[in-house]
Amino acid sequence: MRLVHLDLKGAAPRVSYLEEVFPLLSQLGANGILIEYEDMFPFKGELEILKSPYAYSEEDIERIQQLAELHKLEVVPLVQTFGHVEFILKHEKYQHLREVERFPNSFNPHVPDTLALLKSILSQVIEKHRRSTWIHIGADEVFHLGEGMDSKNWMSRNKGDTGTIYLKHIKEVLGFIATQYWGLRALMWDDMLRKISVGALRGESMGTVAVVAPELGVSAAPTCMATLAGVVPSARQEPVPGSMGTWVSGEHEEPQASSCRWHRYDHYSVLCELLPVGIPSLAICLQTLVNGGFTEETKRKVLDTLGFQSMQLEQSTCEGRGAFPGAEIYHMVEQVNGHLKESILKALEEESAIKGWFSPYHRKRQFGNPRNMESFGSKVLKLHEDWESFVRDLRAHLERVYFPDMVEEWMEENVNLYLDQLRGLVRDYR
């Protein structure tokens, strides 16, 4: 299995865009989609509070699976069951389930309500993915585990450590899945397991779970997998040189790779790169997995599929118009990253007439000499007009792919931060 991991927190694409992207992923060599819905899942009943205002509908979830099936992509839903649960624990309703009261990152595994809540979340997600033969339980980066009073008391009473707390909770989650959904196979990330002693792992049989190593360096791989040998079925992972978040396995009966497109590192962070901007990188990763290396043939396949003339990996650049879904956004974001800030700061900071005759002091008091102001006015007005026109086009393209909240956030973080300075200058000039 070659899975593309769509981490949907914060920048979930519209289903209409996935209709365009899924055939491309299949063409590039993916045969599965790992979907981390987070607050984009249409939770019902008691869990409705977890939904984003722009969450997918039940019809959307069904449509996504139909599209995946059409393009021979197996859907693997991912439900975080220990760490990375800020979208749950940020709510006052679930604040009592935090490992450390002031941090919303991780569950307290000692409170019975934690497992009850997870069973409810897992049930709703699994019920909407009855075609799926895998479920991913996340379980990575359980920050602050062992720091809560309940954990400290438990370790003191049981002469245990954070590793035994971790394994105990994971076994309960896996036990629920095995009991309620016979035949459904589980995946999890490996980083927390790496910190646990061989003895503790051997003492806790976890049943059938495949362990995927998304952040494991080549030198660490043999050590880690030797530790896990005989404890849990696992796939030996090795990174593809020069790619981010893509890992190859040597055992083909387990998921072979997960090529990740993060949208945020966590629920509270800024947005990462947009999916259309990441597609060339993702294409290289997938084709490298398919061919076992990044050969000239691999490169040619990527260029032909994406509609580029050439690419320079060292500079992270592609030359040509591009003919993939979202290519317009790819090029427009290049313009924003490469020219917006530079052109505006150059106009504001290097124009001597602005620095000498239209300073913040002048602007605040509406005091200036028209003769000097006119020397820079036409240039600044033209720059402002050009960027406003460009931004209108960019916004239209973004709104075709994304929901309004994400578009506003991306514009605020990447465009308005600089363009508002130019807008303010033009407003004061006029």
Side-chain angles (χ1 to χ4, degrees), residues 197-209:
S197 69
V198 177
L201 285 168
R202 287 196 174 127
E204 298 281 352
S205 174
M206 285 162 50
T208 304
V209 55

Side-chain angles (χ1 to χ4, degrees), residues 117 195 268 289 314 322:
L117 175 62
K195 303 169 188 175
Y268 285 85
L289 292 174
E314 293 76 14

Side-chain angles (χ1 to χ4, degrees), residues 89 91-99 108 111 113-114:
L89 298 183
H91 295 286
E92 191 176 351
K93 178 178 179 179
Y94 298 117
Q95 203 166 335
H96 67 291
L97 302 182
R98 296 176 178 185
E99 168 70 358
N108 177 346
V111 181
D113 286 355
T114 292

Side-chain angles (χ1 to χ4, degrees), residues 9-13 54 263-264 271-275 398-399 401-414:
K9 44 181 168 276
Y54 298 99
H263 290 136
R264 295 185 200 279
L271 292 163
C272 300
E273 69 181 12
L274 303 177
L275 178 56
L398 287 173
E399 287 174 347
V401 173
Y402 291 108
F403 297 97
D405 59 338
M406 175 266 142
V407 175
E408 286 308 318
E409 181 180 354
W410 196 89
M411 298 296 280
E412 190 73 26
E413 291 276 358
N414 297 279

Side-chain angles (χ1 to χ4, degrees), residues 377-425:
S378 59
K379 189 193 298 184
V380 165
L381 291 174
K382 176 73 165 60
L383 181 67
H384 174 250
E385 182 186 321
D386 289 348
W387 276 119
E388 291 289 12
S389 173
F390 173 89
V391 166
R392 280 193 296 274
D393 288 345
L394 173 58
R395 181 181 284 275
H397 284 296
L398 287 173
E399 287 174 347
R400 191 179 69 82
V401 173
Y402 291 108
F403 297 97
D405 59 338
M406 175 266 142
V407 175
E408 286 308 318
E409 181 180 354
W410 196 89
M411 298 296 280
E412 190 73 26
E413 291 276 358
N414 297 279
V415 173
N416 297 346
L417 188 63
Y418 306 108
L419 193 51
D420 280 352
Q421 297 177 54
L422 183 60
R423 288 164 175 159
L425 184 86

Side-chain angles (χ1 to χ4, degrees), residues 27 281 304 375:
Q27 190 180 353
S281 166
D304 291 346
S375 70

